[in-house]
Amino acid sequence: MEKQFMIIDGNRVELNGEKTVLEVIRKAGIDMPTLCYHPDLSIYGACRLCMFENERGGLDAACSAQPRDGMVIRTNTARLRKYRKNIIELLLANHCVECPTCPKSGSCKLQELAERYDVKTVRFPNTAKLDKVDHSSLSIDRDASKCVLCGKCVRMCNEVQNVGAINYANRGSKMYISTMFDVPISETDCVGCGQCAAVCPVGAITIKQDTAKVWDAIADKGTNVTVQVAPAVRVAIGEQLHMEEGTDVMGKIVAALHQMGVDKVYDTSVSADMTILEETAEFVEHLGKGTGMPLFTSCCPGWIRFAETKYPEIMPYISSCRSPMHMLAEVILEHEKDNGMKNYNIAVMPCTAKKFEAARDEFKHGDQPNVDCVLSTQELIHMIRTSGIDFEHIAPEAVDAPFGQFSGAGVIFGVTGGVTEAVLRRVSTDKSNNAIKDISYCGVRGLEGVKEFQVPFGDGELRIAVVSGLGNAGKLIDKLLAKEVSYDFVEVMACPGGCVNGGGQPVSCDNARTIRIDGLYASDSTNSLKTSDTNPLMDYIYSEFVKGRNHEMLHVHYGKHND
Amino acid sequence: MNQDFDYGVIDVILEKCGCDEQMAVTILQEVQAHFGYLPKEVFPYLAKKLRSSEAKLYGVATFYENFSLEPKGQYVIRVCDGTACHVRHSTDVLNRIRKELELKDDKITTEDSKFTVEIVSCLGACGLSPVMTVNGKVYPSMTPDKASEIINSIKEGTYNAEA
């Protein structure tokens, strides 16, 4: 077939099957402004910032126009700049412009666009309504006065996650994003995955900030502050701190936390190994029962909440294993119980739903939660900035003993398919390096939302599905319940791509997911321990701290509702 | 789920219209026809049955002016404010009615639940403008005084819908 071209701002650009003019424009290296466009979501065409001008002077939105061979367009004419500036002015006129104190300041798209298009004054009176703020969720905050109605949160919540906690209400100038009857978001089916906050271009949906509590704990001399850091955090933090995206900077995170005044820093990858030992044992037992249903993974709190609200009938088939965060928290508490100090247990997670999980009644000793505070990756970055630490040049330090040694199987928990791969390594009878490498080619890796494959096991085979994104999970469960498919093991992660793309992670370049995933796989490759059962720390933890209380410390029965 | 609420009515409607999210508007119309408004209880129930979300159905219900989330009064008065009625002073009629019933833009039903006053964009009877309806009965060529008369007759119990 003959090559097809478009002319963009006088330059010839080849068409390569792009679905929208916007994709072609961006491919040509032009940073076309958008507020409502997101590659993972349906086209909405509301913000009108990505308008281009055709040869006849007609205007069209690039996000919703199809590219054609021979199209000649301009993206930066005087008329377009004037229109864009006007749109930004109108948005600002209906926006709570308290930028310096906004949690989104510095990463706000509207702030950036106002600067880019030289909006120095707003000609219209400000009509922002300041009374619609919702702090009810433990994971996210909503402030309607900062909403630009781009609808990304609605599309994320409905199209990708299929949770449907929020939607548009009213219409025209009265439209706003709402829950049913404006109830607080905590009273809806919201699972706290934070994907709405991740796609929100402004400060209308932001991650709940808990850093103040942590600073207080650090400042208190009588408090022993422990921090555990999840696998996905170490490959997502660098880009925001002048380093390369995807590099494993765990050593620097440890050093930074020590410098801030944290007493002990541990690695959640350790308890990921514990999770594998517990979950594999449970899986083998589950296979023997012949329930006709798969065993679902239980590491992801967004998924647990989704199952509880939408598919309560499958709760009995979800692994009883606590998430790695809670397993490690139990063991840390056991380790620190006789130190004579007040203990403050912090978890740094790529996740906003973990904030809710930490507060669940199931994980409390009396009134005391196991994990006192969950910080998202974004909040950790913020704390490092507050501390004035030169992250780029800080010398890496080792994770504190005794919870520092982990296997490669533990660290890949942060990737969709990671838990499954770790389980497969554990059940594999051949533990040679080649056999372990072969497992990575069975279909478990990759960014697809649903991965289905079989692996040989004993005399037969295991039927496995790996799902990321709750919308995909819902569809899979529907098929399972309709008996159209059947599996032995199903891994579910609420966020598309797994924890590397969690709601608590900083928003970075478009291919951040791939880069972060590669980073975690690289950490696995350079780890001499490949399977969880070869981690020598496991024996120590089980004999010193767990002492046969596996069920009490490492498992959970969901059902004691907070509400 | 609210135990006191009669979900059987909804089931009958769903039986008739089909359990399909695409039928949401029709279903909501039927629900409103039965209750006179859309009770809060129906949203979670319908969301489950239609495999939709509460927030989405709420969005549909608030998008269309015709759906009401609050119970309406015994007498629903609709004053047309379409172009033809507007230029023939329908605003005066509306203002008089609102004044008599102590109603406003954002308060459309009286305390005693006797009257609800709504503005509609066109009743399709432009030749009779300005027009208003009381529970569906059309009153042509309205004036503020004629409107007062009708309201007073309702208040005094002498109103005759057949006349």
Side-chain angles (χ1 to χ4, degrees), chain A residues 158 163-172 175-176 178-183 187-189 309-311 474 478, chain B residues 38-44 47-48 51-66 69-70 105:
Chain A
N158 288 275
V163 171
I166 46 173
N167 217 304
Y168 310 98
N170 292 333
R171 68 172 152 174
M175 186 198 265
Y176 64 101
S178 169
T179 58
M180 178 192 69
F181 285 93
D182 270 330
V183 297
E187 291 171 25
T188 67
D189 285 349
T309 53
K310 302 255 165 151
Y311 295 97
D478 286 340
Chain B
L38 298 174
K40 199 171 177 174
E41 289 84 353
V42 304
F43 288 87
K48 229 180 192 104
R51 307 191 61 87
S52 183
S53 83
E54 303 165 350
K56 195 173 192 176
L57 293 174
Y58 179 72
V60 172
T62 54
F63 184 90
Y64 294 104
E65 201 67 39
N66 235 319
L69 298 171
E70 269 146 36
D105 227 4

Side-chain angles (χ1 to χ4, degrees), chain A residues 361-469:
Chain A
D361 288 341
E362 290 94 341
F363 302 111
K364 281 180 182 161
H365 292 282
D367 284 341
Q368 192 59 30
N370 273 342
V371 178
D372 296 283
C373 182
V374 172
L375 288 178
S376 63
T377 311
Q378 283 195 31
E379 290 164 273
L380 176 64
I381 293 171
H382 190 261
M383 288 184 74
I384 292 172
R385 288 211 180 111
T386 306
S387 312
I389 291 168
D390 179 1
F391 196 75
E392 201 182 346
H393 296 109
I394 195 170
E397 289 175 14
V399 173
D400 288 291
F403 309 119
Q405 193 170 30
F406 55 89
S407 77
V411 82
I412 56 173
F413 260 55
V415 179
T416 164
V419 178
T420 306
E421 192 169 340
V423 168
L424 291 176
R425 288 183 191 181
R426 169 84 175 102
V427 296
S428 167
T429 41
D430 182 358
K431 310 266 180 188
S432 68
N433 271 349
N434 278 340
I436 298 296
K437 265 187 195 157
D438 280 349
I439 290 174
S440 65
Y441 294 105
C442 70
V444 71
R445 293 194 178 185
L447 261 177
E448 301 84 6
V450 182
K451 293 173 277 189
E452 297 168 280
F453 52 92
Q454 284 91 32
V455 288
F457 179 72
D459 300 330
E461 56 182 18
L462 295 176
R463 294 156 305 167
I464 294 171
V466 173
V467 196
S468 70

Side-chain angles (χ1 to χ4, degrees), chain B residues 80-90 93 122-132 138-143 146:
Chain B
C80 182
D81 197 31
T83 315
C85 291
H86 185 83
V87 296
R88 301 196 60 173
H89 309 292
S90 60
V93 177
C122 186
L123 284 165
C126 306
L128 309 175
S129 63
V131 182
M132 78 175 217
V138 179
Y139 290 88
S141 311
M142 288 307 292
T143 61
K146 275 168 129 181

Side-chain angles (χ1 to χ4, degrees), chain A residues 9 22 25 30-35 47-53 59-62 73-92 110 113-114 116-119 123-124:
Chain A
D9 295 337
L22 183 66
I25 293 173
I30 294 163
D31 182 12
M32 190 64 141
T34 54
L35 280 175
C47 75
R48 313 315 279 175
L49 284 165
C50 68
M51 300 284 262
F52 62 83
E53 202 170 328
L59 299 180
D60 211 345
I73 65 165
R74 295 222 154 252
T75 65
N76 178 34
T77 62
R79 192 168 155 220
L80 287 172
R81 282 196 302 276
K82 185 180 149 198
Y83 285 173
R84 281 183 196 137
K85 197 170 172 175
N86 209 3
I87 291 169
I88 295 162
E89 259 188 88
L90 285 166
L91 285 173
L92 286 172
L110 187 59
L113 289 173
R116 226 174 107 183
Y117 288 95
D118 208 25
V119 179
R123 289 166 291 165
F124 318 107

Side-chain angles (χ1 to χ4, degrees), chain A residues 214 217-218 223-229 257-258 261-266 328-329 331-333 335-336 339 342-348 370-373 375 400-401 403:
Chain A
V214 173
I218 290 175
T223 301
N224 175 48
V225 180
T226 55
V227 177
Q228 55 166 306
V229 182
L257 285 167
H258 280 155
V262 167
D263 297 292
K264 305 267 178 52
V265 184
Y266 300 127
L328 192 59
V331 177
I332 292 172
L333 283 177
H335 179 247
E336 305 282 350
N339 65 9
K342 207 173 127 199
N343 289 309
Y344 197 79
N345 230 338
I346 300 166
V348 181
N370 273 342
V371 178
D372 296 283
C373 182
L375 288 178
D400 288 291
F403 309 119

